[in-house]
Short mmCIF file of all heavy atoms in Angstrom, two decimals:
data_model
loop_
_atom_site.label_atom_id
_atom_site.label_comp_id
_atom_site.label_asym_id
_atom_site.label_seq_id
_atom_site.Cartn_x
_atom_site.Cartn_y
_atom_site.Cartn_z
N SER W 61 13.59 11.37 16.95
CA SER W 61 15.02 11.19 16.68
C SER W 61 15.31 11.36 15.19
O SER W 61 16.31 11.98 14.80
CB SER W 61 15.45 9.80 17.14
OG SER W 61 16.79 9.57 16.80
N ILE W 62 14.44 10.82 14.36
CA ILE W 62 14.59 10.95 12.91
C ILE W 62 14.55 12.43 12.52
O ILE W 62 15.36 12.92 11.74
CB ILE W 62 13.47 10.18 12.18
CG1 ILE W 62 13.71 8.67 12.34
CG2 ILE W 62 13.39 10.56 10.69
CD1 ILE W 62 12.53 7.81 11.94
N HIS W 63 13.58 13.12 13.12
CA HIS W 63 13.45 14.54 12.82
C HIS W 63 14.70 15.32 13.23
O HIS W 63 15.19 16.17 12.50
CB HIS W 63 12.22 15.12 13.53
CG HIS W 63 12.07 16.59 13.34
ND1 HIS W 63 12.51 17.52 14.27
CD2 HIS W 63 11.59 17.31 12.30
CE1 HIS W 63 12.27 18.73 13.81
NE2 HIS W 63 11.72 18.64 12.63
N ILE W 64 15.22 15.02 14.39
CA ILE W 64 16.42 15.72 14.87
C ILE W 64 17.61 15.43 13.97
O ILE W 64 18.28 16.35 13.48
CB ILE W 64 16.75 15.31 16.33
CG1 ILE W 64 15.67 15.80 17.28
CG2 ILE W 64 18.11 15.86 16.74
CD1 ILE W 64 15.79 15.23 18.69
N ASN W 65 17.85 14.15 13.71
CA ASN W 65 19.05 13.79 12.96
C ASN W 65 18.99 14.20 11.49
O ASN W 65 19.92 14.81 10.97
CB ASN W 65 19.29 12.28 13.08
CG ASN W 65 19.92 11.91 14.41
OD1 ASN W 65 21.08 12.28 14.67
ND2 ASN W 65 19.18 11.22 15.25
N PHE W 66 17.89 13.85 10.82
CA PHE W 66 17.78 14.21 9.41
C PHE W 66 17.53 15.70 9.26
O PHE W 66 18.01 16.33 8.32
CB PHE W 66 16.67 13.40 8.73
CG PHE W 66 17.07 11.98 8.42
CD1 PHE W 66 16.73 10.95 9.29
CD2 PHE W 66 17.80 11.68 7.28
CE1 PHE W 66 17.11 9.64 9.02
CE2 PHE W 66 18.19 10.37 7.00
CZ PHE W 66 17.85 9.35 7.87
N GLY W 67 16.77 16.25 10.20
CA GLY W 67 16.44 17.67 10.13
C GLY W 67 17.65 18.56 10.27
O GLY W 67 17.84 19.50 9.49
N LEU W 68 18.48 18.26 11.25
CA LEU W 68 19.67 19.07 11.48
C LEU W 68 20.63 18.96 10.30
O LEU W 68 21.21 19.95 9.86
CB LEU W 68 20.35 18.59 12.77
CG LEU W 68 20.28 19.44 14.06
CD1 LEU W 68 19.22 20.52 14.03
CD2 LEU W 68 20.15 18.56 15.28
N ALA W 69 20.79 17.74 9.79
CA ALA W 69 21.68 17.55 8.64
C ALA W 69 21.18 18.39 7.46
O ALA W 69 21.95 19.10 6.81
CB ALA W 69 21.75 16.08 8.26
N ALA W 70 19.87 18.31 7.22
CA ALA W 70 19.31 19.04 6.09
C ALA W 70 19.47 20.55 6.28
O ALA W 70 19.83 21.27 5.36
CB ALA W 70 17.84 18.68 5.91
N GLU W 71 19.21 20.98 7.50
CA GLU W 71 19.26 22.41 7.76
C GLU W 71 20.65 23.00 7.52
O GLU W 71 20.79 24.11 7.01
CB GLU W 71 18.84 22.70 9.21
CG GLU W 71 18.79 24.18 9.51
CD GLU W 71 18.53 24.47 10.98
OE1 GLU W 71 18.15 23.54 11.72
OE2 GLU W 71 18.71 25.64 11.37
N PHE W 72 21.69 22.23 7.87
CA PHE W 72 23.04 22.75 7.75
C PHE W 72 23.78 22.22 6.52
O PHE W 72 25.01 22.28 6.46
CB PHE W 72 23.82 22.45 9.03
CG PHE W 72 23.27 23.17 10.23
CD1 PHE W 72 22.60 22.48 11.23
CD2 PHE W 72 23.41 24.55 10.34
CE1 PHE W 72 22.08 23.15 12.33
CE2 PHE W 72 22.89 25.23 11.44
CZ PHE W 72 22.23 24.54 12.43
N GLY W 73 23.02 21.69 5.58
CA GLY W 73 23.66 21.20 4.36
C GLY W 73 24.57 20.01 4.62
O GLY W 73 25.55 19.80 3.89
N GLY W 74 24.27 19.26 5.66
CA GLY W 74 25.10 18.09 5.99
C GLY W 74 24.48 16.81 5.51
O GLY W 74 23.63 16.80 4.62
N LYS W 75 24.90 15.72 6.13
CA LYS W 75 24.39 14.41 5.75
C LYS W 75 23.92 13.65 6.97
O LYS W 75 24.38 13.89 8.09
CB LYS W 75 25.52 13.60 5.08
CG LYS W 75 25.93 14.14 3.74
CD LYS W 75 27.15 13.40 3.23
CE LYS W 75 27.55 13.93 1.84
NZ LYS W 75 28.88 13.44 1.45
N CYS W 76 22.98 12.74 6.72
CA CYS W 76 22.53 11.88 7.80
C CYS W 76 22.47 10.45 7.27
O CYS W 76 21.85 10.18 6.25
CB CYS W 76 21.15 12.32 8.30
SG CYS W 76 20.51 11.28 9.62
N ASN W 77 23.15 9.55 7.94
CA ASN W 77 23.15 8.15 7.52
C ASN W 77 22.01 7.40 8.18
O ASN W 77 21.57 7.75 9.28
CB ASN W 77 24.45 7.45 7.95
CG ASN W 77 25.68 8.09 7.34
OD1 ASN W 77 25.57 8.98 6.49
ND2 ASN W 77 26.85 7.63 7.77
N LEU W 78 21.57 6.35 7.52
CA LEU W 78 20.68 5.39 8.18
C LEU W 78 21.55 4.17 8.48
O LEU W 78 22.14 3.58 7.57
CB LEU W 78 19.52 5.01 7.25
CG LEU W 78 18.58 3.92 7.79
CD1 LEU W 78 17.96 4.32 9.12
CD2 LEU W 78 17.48 3.60 6.77
N ARG W 79 21.68 3.86 9.75
CA ARG W 79 22.50 2.70 10.10
C ARG W 79 21.78 1.78 11.06
O ARG W 79 21.28 2.21 12.10
CB ARG W 79 23.82 3.12 10.73
CG ARG W 79 24.70 1.87 10.99
CD ARG W 79 26.02 2.17 11.67
NE ARG W 79 25.84 2.60 13.04
CZ ARG W 79 26.25 3.76 13.52
NH1 ARG W 79 26.86 4.62 12.73
NH2 ARG W 79 26.05 4.06 14.77
N PHE W 80 21.72 0.54 10.70
CA PHE W 80 21.10 -0.44 11.59
C PHE W 80 22.13 -0.96 12.58
O PHE W 80 23.20 -1.41 12.19
CB PHE W 80 20.52 -1.60 10.76
CG PHE W 80 19.30 -1.19 10.00
CD1 PHE W 80 19.37 -0.82 8.67
CD2 PHE W 80 18.07 -1.14 10.65
CE1 PHE W 80 18.24 -0.41 7.98
CE2 PHE W 80 16.93 -0.72 9.96
CZ PHE W 80 17.02 -0.36 8.63
N ASP W 81 21.80 -0.84 13.84
CA ASP W 81 22.68 -1.36 14.89
C ASP W 81 22.29 -2.82 15.12
O ASP W 81 21.53 -3.15 16.02
CB ASP W 81 22.51 -0.54 16.18
CG ASP W 81 23.46 0.66 16.19
OD1 ASP W 81 24.50 0.60 15.50
OD2 ASP W 81 23.15 1.64 16.88
N ASP W 82 22.84 -3.67 14.26
CA ASP W 82 22.42 -5.08 14.30
C ASP W 82 23.48 -5.98 14.90
O ASP W 82 24.04 -6.84 14.24
CB ASP W 82 22.05 -5.55 12.89
CG ASP W 82 23.18 -5.30 11.88
OD1 ASP W 82 24.17 -4.63 12.24
OD2 ASP W 82 23.06 -5.78 10.74
N THR W 83 23.76 -5.76 16.18
CA THR W 83 24.81 -6.53 16.84
C THR W 83 24.27 -7.72 17.63
O THR W 83 25.05 -8.46 18.21
CB THR W 83 25.61 -5.63 17.80
OG1 THR W 83 24.70 -4.99 18.69
CG2 THR W 83 26.40 -4.59 17.02
N ASN W 84 22.94 -7.87 17.66
CA ASN W 84 22.38 -9.00 18.40
C ASN W 84 21.50 -9.86 17.49
O ASN W 84 20.32 -9.59 17.32
CB ASN W 84 21.57 -8.49 19.59
CG ASN W 84 21.07 -9.64 20.46
OD1 ASN W 84 21.21 -10.81 20.10
ND2 ASN W 84 20.46 -9.31 21.58
N PRO W 85 22.09 -10.90 16.90
CA PRO W 85 21.38 -11.71 15.90
C PRO W 85 20.14 -12.41 16.45
O PRO W 85 19.26 -12.79 15.68
CB PRO W 85 22.42 -12.74 15.45
CG PRO W 85 23.39 -12.80 16.58
CD PRO W 85 23.43 -11.42 17.16
N CYS W 86 20.06 -12.53 17.76
CA CYS W 86 18.94 -13.26 18.35
C CYS W 86 17.62 -12.50 18.27
O CYS W 86 16.54 -13.07 18.35
CB CYS W 86 19.23 -13.61 19.80
SG CYS W 86 20.76 -14.51 20.01
N LYS W 87 17.69 -11.18 18.16
CA LYS W 87 16.47 -10.38 18.22
C LYS W 87 16.13 -9.68 16.91
O LYS W 87 15.08 -9.06 16.80
CB LYS W 87 16.62 -9.30 19.29
CG LYS W 87 16.64 -9.84 20.71
CD LYS W 87 16.65 -8.67 21.68
CE LYS W 87 16.56 -9.16 23.11
NZ LYS W 87 16.68 -8.03 24.07
N GLU W 88 17.03 -9.77 15.96
CA GLU W 88 16.86 -8.92 14.79
C GLU W 88 16.40 -9.68 13.55
O GLU W 88 16.79 -10.81 13.33
CB GLU W 88 18.18 -8.18 14.54
CG GLU W 88 18.49 -7.23 15.69
CD GLU W 88 19.97 -7.02 15.94
OE1 GLU W 88 20.78 -7.50 15.15
OE2 GLU W 88 20.31 -6.39 16.97
N GLU W 89 15.55 -9.03 12.77
CA GLU W 89 14.97 -9.68 11.60
C GLU W 89 14.89 -8.72 10.42
O GLU W 89 14.76 -7.51 10.60
CB GLU W 89 13.54 -10.14 11.92
CG GLU W 89 13.47 -11.22 12.98
CD GLU W 89 12.02 -11.51 13.39
OE1 GLU W 89 11.11 -11.24 12.57
OE2 GLU W 89 11.83 -11.98 14.52
N THR W 90 14.91 -9.29 9.22
CA THR W 90 14.82 -8.45 8.03
C THR W 90 13.45 -7.79 7.90
O THR W 90 13.34 -6.71 7.32
CB THR W 90 15.11 -9.25 6.74
OG1 THR W 90 14.38 -10.47 6.80
CG2 THR W 90 16.58 -9.56 6.62
N GLU W 91 12.42 -8.40 8.46
CA GLU W 91 11.09 -7.76 8.42
C GLU W 91 11.18 -6.37 9.05
O GLU W 91 10.61 -5.40 8.56
CB GLU W 91 10.07 -8.60 9.21
CG GLU W 91 8.68 -7.95 9.24
CD GLU W 91 7.77 -8.48 10.35
OE1 GLU W 91 8.10 -9.53 10.95
OE2 GLU W 91 6.74 -7.84 10.61
N TYR W 92 11.92 -6.30 10.14
CA TYR W 92 12.05 -5.02 10.84
C TYR W 92 12.89 -4.05 10.02
O TYR W 92 12.59 -2.85 9.96
CB TYR W 92 12.67 -5.24 12.22
CG TYR W 92 11.80 -6.08 13.13
CD1 TYR W 92 12.32 -7.15 13.87
CD2 TYR W 92 10.44 -5.82 13.26
CE1 TYR W 92 11.52 -7.91 14.71
CE2 TYR W 92 9.63 -6.58 14.09
CZ TYR W 92 10.18 -7.63 14.81
OH TYR W 92 9.38 -8.38 15.63
N VAL W 93 13.94 -4.55 9.38
CA VAL W 93 14.77 -3.70 8.54
C VAL W 93 13.90 -3.04 7.47
O VAL W 93 13.94 -1.83 7.26
CB VAL W 93 15.91 -4.51 7.87
CG1 VAL W 93 16.61 -3.66 6.82
CG2 VAL W 93 16.89 -5.00 8.92
N GLU W 94 13.09 -3.86 6.83
CA GLU W 94 12.26 -3.35 5.74
C GLU W 94 11.24 -2.31 6.23
O GLU W 94 11.03 -1.28 5.60
CB GLU W 94 11.54 -4.51 5.04
CG GLU W 94 12.50 -5.30 4.16
CD GLU W 94 12.01 -6.71 3.86
OE1 GLU W 94 10.82 -7.00 4.13
OE2 GLU W 94 12.83 -7.52 3.37
N SER W 95 10.61 -2.60 7.35
CA SER W 95 9.62 -1.65 7.85
C SER W 95 10.27 -0.34 8.25
O SER W 95 9.73 0.74 8.02
CB SER W 95 8.85 -2.25 9.04
OG SER W 95 9.65 -2.25 10.20
N ILE W 96 11.46 -0.43 8.83
CA ILE W 96 12.15 0.78 9.27
C ILE W 96 12.54 1.64 8.08
O ILE W 96 12.36 2.87 8.08
CB ILE W 96 13.39 0.41 10.13
CG1 ILE W 96 12.93 -0.15 11.48
CG2 ILE W 96 14.30 1.62 10.33
CD1 ILE W 96 14.03 -0.81 12.31
N ILE W 97 13.04 1.01 7.04
CA ILE W 97 13.40 1.75 5.82
C ILE W 97 12.17 2.47 5.26
O ILE W 97 12.22 3.66 4.94
CB ILE W 97 14.01 0.79 4.77
CG1 ILE W 97 15.42 0.38 5.21
CG2 ILE W 97 14.05 1.45 3.38
CD1 ILE W 97 16.07 -0.65 4.34
N GLU W 98 11.06 1.75 5.21
CA GLU W 98 9.83 2.34 4.69
C GLU W 98 9.39 3.54 5.55
O GLU W 98 9.02 4.60 5.04
CB GLU W 98 8.72 1.29 4.65
CG GLU W 98 7.43 1.81 4.05
CD GLU W 98 6.27 0.82 4.18
OE1 GLU W 98 6.47 -0.28 4.74
OE2 GLU W 98 5.15 1.18 3.74
N ASP W 99 9.46 3.35 6.85
CA ASP W 99 8.99 4.39 7.76
C ASP W 99 9.86 5.65 7.72
O ASP W 99 9.36 6.77 7.73
CB ASP W 99 8.93 3.86 9.20
CG ASP W 99 7.83 2.82 9.38
OD1 ASP W 99 6.98 2.69 8.47
OD2 ASP W 99 7.83 2.14 10.42
N VAL W 100 11.16 5.46 7.70
CA VAL W 100 12.06 6.62 7.69
C VAL W 100 11.86 7.39 6.39
O VAL W 100 11.79 8.62 6.38
CB VAL W 100 13.54 6.20 7.83
CG1 VAL W 100 14.45 7.41 7.72
CG2 VAL W 100 13.78 5.50 9.17
N ARG W 101 11.72 6.65 5.30
CA ARG W 101 11.50 7.29 4.00
C ARG W 101 10.18 8.06 4.01
O ARG W 101 10.09 9.19 3.55
CB ARG W 101 11.50 6.24 2.91
CG ARG W 101 11.44 6.82 1.51
CD ARG W 101 11.71 5.76 0.46
NE ARG W 101 13.11 5.37 0.40
CZ ARG W 101 13.52 4.12 0.15
NH1 ARG W 101 12.66 3.15 -0.03
NH2 ARG W 101 14.82 3.87 0.09
N TRP W 102 9.16 7.43 4.56
CA TRP W 102 7.84 8.07 4.61
C TRP W 102 7.88 9.38 5.39
O TRP W 102 7.23 10.36 5.05
CB TRP W 102 6.83 7.10 5.24
CG TRP W 102 5.43 7.63 5.30
CD1 TRP W 102 4.56 7.78 4.26
CD2 TRP W 102 4.73 8.07 6.47
NE1 TRP W 102 3.36 8.29 4.71
CE2 TRP W 102 3.43 8.48 6.06
CE3 TRP W 102 5.06 8.16 7.82
CZ2 TRP W 102 2.48 8.96 6.96
CZ3 TRP W 102 4.12 8.65 8.71
CH2 TRP W 102 2.84 9.04 8.28
N LEU W 103 8.70 9.38 6.43
CA LEU W 103 8.81 10.59 7.25
C LEU W 103 9.69 11.64 6.59
O LEU W 103 9.83 12.76 7.10
CB LEU W 103 9.37 10.25 8.63
CG LEU W 103 8.38 9.58 9.59
CD1 LEU W 103 9.11 9.06 10.83
CD2 LEU W 103 7.28 10.56 10.00
N GLY W 104 10.25 11.30 5.46
CA GLY W 104 11.03 12.28 4.72
C GLY W 104 12.53 12.19 4.93
O GLY W 104 13.27 13.05 4.47
N GLY W 105 12.99 11.16 5.62
CA GLY W 105 14.42 11.01 5.85
C GLY W 105 15.13 10.66 4.55
O GLY W 105 14.69 9.79 3.81
N ASP W 106 16.22 11.37 4.25
CA ASP W 106 16.96 11.11 3.01
C ASP W 106 18.40 10.76 3.36
O ASP W 106 19.17 11.61 3.75
CB ASP W 106 16.89 12.36 2.12
CG ASP W 106 17.70 12.17 0.84
OD1 ASP W 106 18.12 11.02 0.54
OD2 ASP W 106 17.95 13.17 0.15
N TRP W 107 18.75 9.48 3.19
CA TRP W 107 20.09 9.04 3.54
C TRP W 107 20.95 8.82 2.29
O TRP W 107 22.05 8.28 2.37
CB TRP W 107 20.02 7.76 4.39
CG TRP W 107 19.27 6.64 3.72
CD1 TRP W 107 19.79 5.71 2.87
CD2 TRP W 107 17.88 6.32 3.85
NE1 TRP W 107 18.80 4.84 2.46
CE2 TRP W 107 17.62 5.20 3.05
CE3 TRP W 107 16.82 6.89 4.58
CZ2 TRP W 107 16.34 4.62 2.94
CZ3 TRP W 107 15.56 6.31 4.47
CH2 TRP W 107 15.33 5.20 3.65
N GLY W 108 20.43 9.26 1.15
CA GLY W 108 21.22 9.12 -0.08
C GLY W 108 21.59 7.67 -0.30
O GLY W 108 20.74 6.79 -0.26
N ASP W 109 22.89 7.43 -0.51
CA ASP W 109 23.34 6.04 -0.68
C ASP W 109 23.99 5.52 0.60
O ASP W 109 24.71 4.54 0.58
CB ASP W 109 24.31 5.94 -1.86
CG ASP W 109 25.53 6.86 -1.67
OD1 ASP W 109 25.58 7.61 -0.67
OD2 ASP W 109 26.42 6.82 -2.53
N ARG W 110 23.71 6.21 1.69
CA ARG W 110 24.38 5.85 2.94
C ARG W 110 23.50 5.00 3.86
O ARG W 110 23.14 5.41 4.95
CB ARG W 110 24.87 7.11 3.66
CG ARG W 110 25.91 7.91 2.84
CD ARG W 110 26.28 9.22 3.51
NE ARG W 110 25.08 9.93 3.94
CZ ARG W 110 24.30 10.64 3.12
NH1 ARG W 110 24.62 10.77 1.84
NH2 ARG W 110 23.22 11.22 3.56
#
Side-chain angles (χ1 to χ4, degrees):
Chain W
S61 176
I62 289 167
H63 176 263
I64 293 170
N65 282 293
F66 283 97
L68 254 15
E71 184 186 348
F72 295 109
K75 292 173 178 167
C76 179
N77 299 353
L78 175 59
R79 184 182 69 239
F80 288 97
D81 272 335
D82 54 352
T83 54
N84 185 353
C86 305
K87 290 186 176 176
E88 295 149 8
E89 295 173 24
T90 46
E91 178 198 347
Y92 297 133
V93 170
E94 285 158 13
S95 75
I96 290 168
I97 288 174
E98 183 188 359
D99 291 348
V100 176
R101 187 169 287 145
W102 182 73
L103 284 170
D106 177 12
W107 57 88
D109 57 357
R110 298 175 312 282

